Amino acid sequence: MTWNFLPRPPRAPDPLVTLRLQIRLGELAAELRRVEEDPDVYARAHHWFAVQGAYDALLREACHLAGLPTETAPLRADERAGAGERLREELELSSRGWSW
């Protein structure tokens, strides 16, 4: 008897995980706008950098979930993606139907 194994197609991401990521990206984007627009936010620069880092890390996670290539090194707490890389990731996700 000969076994013929065909490669399985990649599994589609769980729609609830995708939705949760989209919601969280939207919340972080709104928080960034709020910090930018409110000059009275305590420790404004620190708060902005923290939110931007969280947004970049979540954006990278969304890219992995969608099967998009990203920079190989994971972001650490003190790192943020460059503006060009962030824009590329946002555009790639948007072109695949993601919205936040």
Side-chain angles (χ1 to χ4, degrees):
M1 180 184 325
T2 303
W3 294 95
N4 204 0
F5 292 102
L6 297 175
R8 290 183 180 174
R11 288 180 46 191
D14 182 342
L16 294 178
V17 172
T18 302
L19 180 60
R20 189 177 325 123
L21 274 172
Q22 289 175 339
I23 290 170
R24 187 67 184 129
L25 279 168
E27 291 170 347
L28 288 171
E31 180 68 10
L32 279 170
R33 284 189 299 274
R34 187 185 72 76
V35 170
E36 287 175 351
E37 294 168 359
D38 186 356
D40 296 328
V41 170
Y42 178 75
R44 184 177 183 199
H46 175 75
H47 191 78
W48 189 87
F49 283 123
V51 175
Q52 186 68 63
Y55 179 83
D56 289 345
L58 199 60
L59 192 62
R60 187 166 288 179
E61 184 178 335
C63 287
H64 286 289
L65 187 65
L68 297 172
T70 61
E71 294 179 4
T72 56
L75 292 174
R76 291 187 289 245
D78 62 342
E79 293 180 334
R80 285 169 299 287
E85 177 63 14
R86 185 178 308 114
L87 179 61
R88 184 194 69 79
E89 291 172 354
E90 290 170 337
L91 290 174
E92 289 282 349
L93 287 169
S94 294
S95 73
R96 286 166 173 75
W98 283 62
S99 62
W100 59 94

